[in-house]
Amino acid sequence: VCRSNKSPWVCLTCSSVHCGRYVNGHAKKHYEDAQIPMTNHKKTEKQEKVQHTVCMDCSSYSTYCYRCDDFVVNDTKLGLVQKVREHLQNLENSAFTSDRHRKRKLLENSSLNSKLLKVNGSTTALCATGLRNLGNTCFMNAILQSLSNIQQFCCYFKELPAVELRNGKTAGRRTYHTRSQGDNNVSLVEEFRKTLCALWQGSQTAFSPESLFYVVWKIMPNFRGYQQQDAHEFMRYLLDHLHLELQGGFNGVSRSVILQENSSLSASNKCCINGASTVVTAIFGGILQNEVNCLICGTESRKFDPFLDLSLDIPSQFRNKRTKNQESGPMCTLRDCLRSFTDLEELDETELYMCHKCKKKQKSTKKFWIQKLPKVLCLHLKRFHWTAYLRNKVDTYVEFPLRGLDMKCYLLEPENSGPESCLYDLAAVVVHHGSGVGSGHYTAYAAHEGRWFHFNDSTVTLTDEETVVKAKAYILFYVERQAKSGSDKL
């Protein structure tokens, strides 16, 4: 219908091929058209049975039922679905064999040239790989590209041995995941590992993270469907589930043991969220001290809270958009947001503190200190907030440093830290373009081997620091500085 070669779905009733719902949705329209009864004719028993509800993705071979609105794994008694799957795979293999020589020549001549960029007058190869959008999945792509450029975190997963999830009759065939499969048949860690391995190898222009997305659908019901999602919410769910799965077994060996044997990660890391430490908590985990003081009797309450990221308010004085006629006020900086997060504040009437000495809820003050900084400091700027019945976006530009973010003044015991142990350099930035949380578009900027790249789904372009610092950041990833370098500070 639309002559698109993206996301082909074949109807298993009539063999017609249409595009999926995240292209133009002609496969779904084909199903809907088949449901309309013919005019002036009574439905026969045969018409009742033929409804064109089941189709197959020609790329991943996963089977989908539009009536159930779900992926399915069961087959007919004669195994007809598996026969179709094998036939498609044979067609793909034969097509690959016949085109192999032609593609090899194209790769040698044109593909390399298409991935060459001029940097400072010299030609260099662009090895970055984009991620295809599967239908409003830019929120996932931006987070994946950001995490893939956090070297320590990414390398850990890429060095994990592969897990074979299929056996028996299906061994050796192409792996595909559906959200109808049991929990034992899907592995978020494995699909995350495969996705990270596909990035930065430069062998393809874009990678399709379909298998990972199907696993996400299976274990994170919040993200089922093709509507726009919040990138920060997805990142938290992703890290939490990776952390939980990593605490389980791995080929008979506990992953936490593998983590402790990894010399690049400290086995003495004390930040544990929901159980034993993993690479997630070892790299992103920090600890906050929460101090609450009763204003009536002066009783002080302290507790320590582990965190994987810090969510920072943009101070209200910077939220109002300035018009051309107004004088330009002070610019909001990341320091303003951090200060607003850690400064002493009086809790309002809806947040009264239950004082154990007074035996009732009292007015109180609250203050945060950072008791332990993480190796990678993830800062989330709260750009979406509720006003009456609407969730609005704060579009204020927040100035942030590329190098030398100094976190010492927010520490509980700054005197115990080294001169450069509190300095952080920017590794990646996630940006939300648009006005609403349920709409708009996500992209990411990330540094790789000294160069900055802009990741816009399947498109990856080389950019510069001047462009990065102008971005209206939504999530910032700062990496702890290791070696001594410049004295730039926030």
Side-chain angles (χ1 to χ4, degrees):
V1 177
C2 62
R3 313 299 296 173
S4 173
N5 61 357
K6 295 180 179 178
S7 182
W9 291 76
V10 57
C11 176
L12 296 186
T13 304
C14 65
S15 299
S16 60
V17 180
H18 298 278
C19 64
R21 70 171 78 189
Y22 43 80
V23 182
N24 292 310
H26 288 125
K28 186 181 180 184
K29 188 176 186 301
H30 173 73
Y31 153 72
E32 291 170 344
D33 291 343
Q35 308 310 300
I36 302 173
M38 296 177 66
T39 56
N40 302 325
H41 289 281
K42 289 184 178 180
K43 275 190 175 182
T44 64
E45 187 179 348
K46 187 177 181 181
Q47 284 177 312
E48 188 72 38
K49 289 181 179 178
V50 181
Q51 295 189 10
H52 303 252
T53 58
V54 182
C55 56
M56 180 182 290
D57 186 332
C58 299
S59 300
S60 65
Y61 306 139
S62 51
T63 310
Y64 190 84
C65 176
Y66 277 108
R67 172 180 272 194
C68 302
D69 195 24
D70 202 352
F71 288 90
V72 292
V73 291
N74 56 308
D75 204 341
T76 64
K77 290 181 180 179
L78 299 176
L80 296 177
V81 173
Q82 183 59 29
K83 288 181 180 178
V84 174
R85 191 173 285 129
E86 290 172 359
H87 181 63
L88 287 174
Q89 194 166 22
N90 289 334
L91 287 173
E92 184 182 28
N93 292 338
S94 62
F96 173 77
T97 303
S98 62
D99 287 349
R100 185 164 51 188
H101 298 296
R102 182 178 58 83
K103 286 182 177 180
R104 185 179 295 165
K105 289 182 179 179
L106 287 171
L107 284 170
E108 290 173 354
N109 298 326
S110 61
S111 180
L112 182 61
N113 293 332
S114 67
K115 282 201 160 193
L116 293 179
L117 292 175
K118 286 188 176 179
V119 182
N120 298 329
S122 62
T123 305
T124 181
L126 176 64
C127 58
T129 300
L131 287 167
R132 288 196 179 96
N133 193 314
L134 306 178
N136 283 328
T137 56
C138 55
F139 68 92
M140 178 177 75
N141 292 348
I143 294 298
L144 292 175
Q145 293 287 14
S146 298
L147 295 177
S148 76
N149 285 282
I150 296 173
Q151 201 66 22
Q152 210 175 12
F153 185 71
C154 179
C155 285
Y156 173 84
F157 286 94
K158 288 166 71 173
E159 290 171 4
L160 286 176
V163 178
E164 184 56 53
L165 296 175
R166 309 178 73 199
N167 49 40
K169 293 181 180 180
T170 57
R173 295 194 184 125
R174 190 168 181 171
T175 302
Y176 62 97
H177 293 295
T178 75
R179 56 190 171 118
S180 296
Q181 288 179 309
D183 290 333
N184 294 331
N185 293 328
V186 295
S187 169
L188 181 64
V189 170
E190 173 65 1
E191 294 305 331
F192 185 67
R193 183 195 68 81
K194 288 179 182 176
T195 303
L196 293 182
C197 288
L199 303 177
W200 292 109
Q201 60 185 9
S203 61
Q204 50 194 336
T205 53
F207 174 75
S208 183
E210 287 176 332
S211 295
L212 176 62
F213 193 40
Y214 292 151
V215 174
V216 167
W217 277 27
K218 172 64 184 174
I219 65 177
M220 306 179 202
N222 305 30
F223 299 97
R224 289 182 184 176
Y226 294 95
Q227 66 271 25
Q228 184 64 278
Q229 302 280 0
D230 182 75
H232 174 251
E233 185 180 2
F234 172 74
M235 183 198 74
R236 285 307 313 269
Y237 271 89
L238 178 68
L239 292 178
D240 286 344
H241 280 278
L242 286 172
H243 171 66
L244 289 173
E245 191 174 317
L246 284 167
Q247 291 180 81
F250 181 77
N251 288 351
V253 182
S254 171
R255 289 184 191 264
S256 59
V257 173
I258 297 173
L259 172 65
Q260 290 172 9
E261 291 175 352
N262 190 329
S263 59
S264 63
L265 298 172
S266 173
S268 62
N269 188 285
K270 300 299 182 185
C271 180
C272 298
I273 300 172
N274 299 326
S277 176
T278 67
V279 67
V280 176
T281 53
I283 288 181
F284 288 95
I287 300 174
L288 281 176
Q289 178 177 292
N290 185 357
E291 290 183 359
V292 179
N293 281 281
C294 176
L295 290 176
I296 307 301
C297 69
T299 299
E300 185 180 86
S301 173
R302 295 181 185 177
K303 69 173 183 175
F304 293 97
D305 298 315
F307 68 87
L308 294 178
D309 70 316
L310 298 177
S311 291
L312 311 178
D313 279 307
I314 296 175
S316 55
Q317 64 266 31
F318 298 107
R319 290 185 189 177
N320 298 326
K321 293 183 178 179
R322 297 189 295 269
T323 62
K324 292 182 179 179
N325 298 329
Q326 288 179 309
E327 293 184 11
S328 59
M331 181 180 291
C332 183
T333 66
L334 192 57
R335 179 181 282 276
D336 293 318
C337 300
L338 284 164
R339 188 184 295 117
S340 174
F341 178 78
T342 56
D343 275 357
L344 186 72
E345 65 168 317
E346 185 173 335
L347 299 175
D348 58 32
E349 296 292 332
T350 61
E351 299 178 296
L352 292 178
Y353 164 66
M354 181 64 188
C355 180
H356 297 291
K357 189 173 182 179
C358 299
K359 304 296 183 183
K360 63 178 181 177
K361 290 185 176 181
Q362 301 283 29
K363 284 188 175 183
S364 56
T365 59
K366 179 181 72 174
K367 180 172 175 59
F368 283 122
W369 293 97
I370 298 177
Q371 199 265 342
K372 176 189 174 297
L373 283 165
K375 295 179 184 296
V376 174
L377 178 65
C378 180
L379 300 175
H380 160 237
L381 299 178
K382 294 182 182 178
R383 291 200 173 273
F384 301 104
H385 67 104
W386 289 97
T387 55
Y389 300 102
L390 297 174
R391 197 180 186 191
N392 294 332
K393 181 182 178 183
V394 180
D395 209 36
T396 306
Y397 170 73
V398 178
E399 186 181 45
F400 55 90
L402 287 178
R403 300 176 190 85
L405 171 62
D406 192 352
M407 295 294 294
K408 180 174 281 190
C409 58
Y410 311 108
L411 279 177
L412 181 64
E413 298 173 341
E415 64 277 1
N416 294 335
S417 59
E420 285 213 350
S421 62
C422 303
L423 292 181
Y424 287 81
D425 297 323
L426 190 66
V429 187
V430 173
V431 182
H432 178 269
H433 311 266
S435 57
V437 67
S439 60
H441 182 59
Y442 288 98
T443 65
Y445 293 95
H448 185 81
E449 295 180 354
R451 293 184 295 170
W452 280 94
F453 293 86
H454 184 213
F455 297 92
N456 184 1
D457 287 334
S458 58
T459 304
V460 182
T461 53
L462 198 63
T463 187
D464 52 36
E465 293 183 352
E466 288 72 22
T467 304
V468 177
V469 294
K470 291 177 183 176
K472 290 183 179 178
Y474 182 47
I475 306 172
L476 296 152
F477 296 89
Y478 280 94
V479 178
E480 184 181 43
R481 184 178 292 180
Q482 299 297 321
K484 288 189 176 182
S485 55
S487 58
D488 300 323
K489 291 188 179 180
L490 174 62

